[in-house]
């Protein structure tokens, strides 16, 4: 018998933080499981995909559709490393096998971000079906919240949700130094990432092309001074070496914030949302576009000793999430439960 692990992405063409999490899982956890697995990648094979980048048996649902039904029928359990955001009838046929779901972002929180930001509608990276998410979560025996912050999912499913935050290894440890007032942005172009805060600022953005065009035209943003880089792995590797000091990490309802950790690892100074790690008394925070602009001015006009202090304070807190061995151990115990 084997278990099926469902995800929306994995391998050498990651498209976001959830794909990075899945790759870390495959590299560090899957060999410690008490049973064989098959990875079901729910989608099409991306351009440039290397099959050798995945260390276990796998199948793409859109490339090998005839394999999916017998795969699910013969599976012992079905786990969701990253669930798709809209209904999958083939999976639902075997809902009695649903066991563990790892929650990277909660749709119920995401679809309400326009209210928080004063926008007339939500700009989403893909179709999102709230009922599908709730159905799967109700059916699963346990839910794992990967956020470093408390999430709404913990309140809605408190009897079966545990929190195992993601981890981040600081491998660059570049020293902070103020040398420019340019801003860097490294996330999807969607409402909850507050891409529109870049309006009239100067700097760089590495993001998805479609979301970038939609937001730029839908909100009539002035991005003449923002240099755009299409998201891909190679661009992402080089992005944090560009000449910006300020990092826009002011995301709403952000579970973990891999790009925030990445920015601090490269010596950048972020502006954060007021509710991201709220226990930390970090100065440079905002929750609206107006507050973001004011905080940008505050940061630019602060003494360097103050900016250095705030950077050190933030990095000290983020370093608490570098315990990879503990992360592996807790994930392994969770998935090995009967």
């Amino acid at each position: 018998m084997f278990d099926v692990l469902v995800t929306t992405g994995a391998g050498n063409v990651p498209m976001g933080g959830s794909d990075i999490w899945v790759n870390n899982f495959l590299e560090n956890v899957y060999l410690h499981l008490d049973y064989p697995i098959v990875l079901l990648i729910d989608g099409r094979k991306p351009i440039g995909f290397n099959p050798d980048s995945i260390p276990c048996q796998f199948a793409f649902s859109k490339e090998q559709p005839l394999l999916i039904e017998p795969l699910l029928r013969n599976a012992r359990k079905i786990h969701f490393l990253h669930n798709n955001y809209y209904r999958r009838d083939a999976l639902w046929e075997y809902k009695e096998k649903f066991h563990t779901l790892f929650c990277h972002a909660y749709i119920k929180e995401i679809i309400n971000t326009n209210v928080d930001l004063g926008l007339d509608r939500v700009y989403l990276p893909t179709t999102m079906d709230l009922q599908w998410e709730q159905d799967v979560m109700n059916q699963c025996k346990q839910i794992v919240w990967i956020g470093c912050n408390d999430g709404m999912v913990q309140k809605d499913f408190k009897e079966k949700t545990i929190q195992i935050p993601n981890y981040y290894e600081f491998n660059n440890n570049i020293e902070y130094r103020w040398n420019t007032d340019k801003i860097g942005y490294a996330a999807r172009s969607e409402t909850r990432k507050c891409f529109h805060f870049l309006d009239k600022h100067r700097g760089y953005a590495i993001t998805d092309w479609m979301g970038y065009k939609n937001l730029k035209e839908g909100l009539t943003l002035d991005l003449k001074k923002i240099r755009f880089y299409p998201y891909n792995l190679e661009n992402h590797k080089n992005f944090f070496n560009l000449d910006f000091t300020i990092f826009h990490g002011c995301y709403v309802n952000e579970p973990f914030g891999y790009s925030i950790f990445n920015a601090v690892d490269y010596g950048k100074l972020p502006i954060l949302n007021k509710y991201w790690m709220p226990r930390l008394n970090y100065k440079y925070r905002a929750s609206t576009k107006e507050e973001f602009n004011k905080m940008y001015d505050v940061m630019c006009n602060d003494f360097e000793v103050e900016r250095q202090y705030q950077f050190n304070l933030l990095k000290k807190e983020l370093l608490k999430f570098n315990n990879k061995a503990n992360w592996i151990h807790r994930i392994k115990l969770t998935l090995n439960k009967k």
Side-chain angles (χ1 to χ4, degrees), residues 2 5 26 30 36-41 54-59 71:
F2 60 90
L5 275 58
L26 293 174
Y30 114 85
I37 68 164
V38 178
L39 189 70
L40 175 57
I41 307 174
I54 296 182
C56 61
Q57 287 186 290
F58 65 91
L71 185 65

Side-chain angles (χ1 to χ4, degrees), residues 17-72:
S18 59
D19 293 354
I20 293 171
W21 187 97
V22 172
N23 283 342
N24 287 336
F25 172 91
L26 293 174
E27 180 181 350
N28 299 294
V29 178
Y30 114 85
L31 288 176
H32 298 289
L33 299 178
D34 294 340
Y35 44 82
I37 68 164
V38 178
L39 189 70
L40 175 57
I41 307 174
D42 192 7
R44 297 190 182 281
K45 182 167 59 178
I47 297 172
F49 174 75
N50 178 4
D52 294 333
S53 64
I54 296 182
C56 61
Q57 287 186 290
F58 65 91
F60 284 93
S61 64
K62 299 297 184 181
E63 306 288 335
Q64 302 152 292
L66 295 180
L67 284 178
I68 306 311
E69 196 280 332
L71 185 65
L72 297 174

Side-chain angles (χ1 to χ4, degrees), residues 80 83-87 92 95 98 101 103 105-112 128-141 143 152-158 160:
F80 295 88
N83 183 29
N84 213 312
Y85 290 121
Y86 44 93
R87 184 166 292 277
W92 190 248
K95 60 183 179 296
F98 290 2
L101 180 141
C103 184
Y106 193 37
I107 294 177
K108 192 172 178 180
E109 286 184 311
I110 293 172
I111 61 176
N112 290 321
M128 291 192 174
D129 183 344
L130 174 60
Q131 190 58 54
W132 167 247
E133 177 187 64
Q134 295 296 302
D135 288 346
V136 174
M137 287 184 166
N138 278 314
Q139 191 66 34
C140 283
K141 293 179 173 59
I143 298 168
M152 188 185 294
V153 67
Q154 294 166 290
K155 298 177 182 177
D156 289 352
F157 297 93
K158 60 182 178 181
K160 59 179 177 181

Side-chain angles (χ1 to χ4, degrees), residues 308-321:
Q308 182 72 64
Y309 172 79
Q310 294 297 327
F311 176 85
N312 293 344
L313 183 73
L314 178 59
K315 185 170 183 179
K316 182 180 179 180
E317 184 69 18
L318 300 192
L319 282 168
K320 295 177 182 178
F321 294 87

Side-chain angles (χ1 to χ4, degrees), residues 10-232:
N12 65 306
V13 192
M15 296 305 295
S18 59
D19 293 354
I20 293 171
W21 187 97
V22 172
N23 283 342
N24 287 336
F25 172 91
L26 293 174
E27 180 181 350
N28 299 294
V29 178
Y30 114 85
L31 288 176
H32 298 289
L33 299 178
D34 294 340
Y35 44 82
I37 68 164
V38 178
L39 189 70
L40 175 57
I41 307 174
D42 192 7
R44 297 190 182 281
K45 182 167 59 178
I47 297 172
F49 174 75
N50 178 4
D52 294 333
S53 64
I54 296 182
C56 61
Q57 287 186 290
F58 65 91
F60 284 93
S61 64
K62 299 297 184 181
E63 306 288 335
Q64 302 152 292
L66 295 180
L67 284 178
I68 306 311
E69 196 280 332
L71 185 65
L72 297 174
R73 172 163 37 87
N74 289 287
R76 183 185 67 132
K77 296 177 182 176
I78 298 172
H79 309 284
F80 295 88
L81 299 184
H82 183 238
N83 183 29
N84 213 312
Y85 290 121
Y86 44 93
R87 184 166 292 277
R88 291 295 196 238
D89 290 333
L91 280 166
W92 190 248
E93 285 293 315
Y94 297 93
K95 60 183 179 296
E96 72 280 357
K97 297 184 180 185
F98 290 2
H99 192 271
T100 302
L101 180 141
F102 292 88
C103 184
H104 298 258
Y106 193 37
I107 294 177
K108 192 172 178 180
E109 286 184 311
I110 293 172
I111 61 176
N112 290 321
T113 52
N114 63 322
V115 176
D116 300 328
L117 297 169
L119 301 177
D120 59 355
R121 72 183 184 93
V122 178
Y123 291 80
L124 300 172
T126 185
T127 303
M128 291 192 174
D129 183 344
L130 174 60
Q131 190 58 54
W132 167 247
E133 177 187 64
Q134 295 296 302
D135 288 346
V136 174
M137 287 184 166
N138 278 314
Q139 191 66 34
C140 283
K141 293 179 173 59
Q142 58 181 358
I143 298 168
V144 179
W145 174 241
I146 67 95
C148 56
N149 303 288
D150 292 339
M152 188 185 294
V153 67
Q154 294 166 290
K155 298 177 182 177
D156 289 352
F157 297 93
K158 60 182 178 181
E159 299 301 324
K160 59 179 177 181
T161 299
I162 62 172
Q163 185 174 11
I164 305 178
N166 200 351
Y167 75 94
Y168 181 90
E169 293 182 297
F170 282 79
N171 294 317
N172 299 285
N173 285 303
I174 295 176
E175 292 184 10
Y176 157 80
R177 183 175 299 161
W178 183 272
N179 52 29
T180 174
D181 59 3
K182 293 179 183 177
I183 298 176
Y185 175 90
R188 290 183 184 273
S189 296
E190 58 177 295
T191 300
R192 78 177 183 90
K193 298 289 188 178
C194 300
F195 175 82
H196 59 292
F197 288 7
L198 294 175
D199 184 38
K200 296 183 176 63
H201 286 285
R202 68 187 190 115
Y204 309 97
I206 181 169
T207 187
D208 58 301
W209 170 249
M210 187 62 70
Y212 171 79
K213 292 293 289 183
N214 287 341
L215 278 175
K216 182 180 179 182
E217 295 169 3
L219 297 176
T220 60
L221 302 178
D222 179 359
L223 300 175
K224 292 191 291 291
K225 297 179 182 178
I226 298 293
R227 184 169 180 178
F228 166 77
Y229 293 86
Y231 178 84
N232 60 53

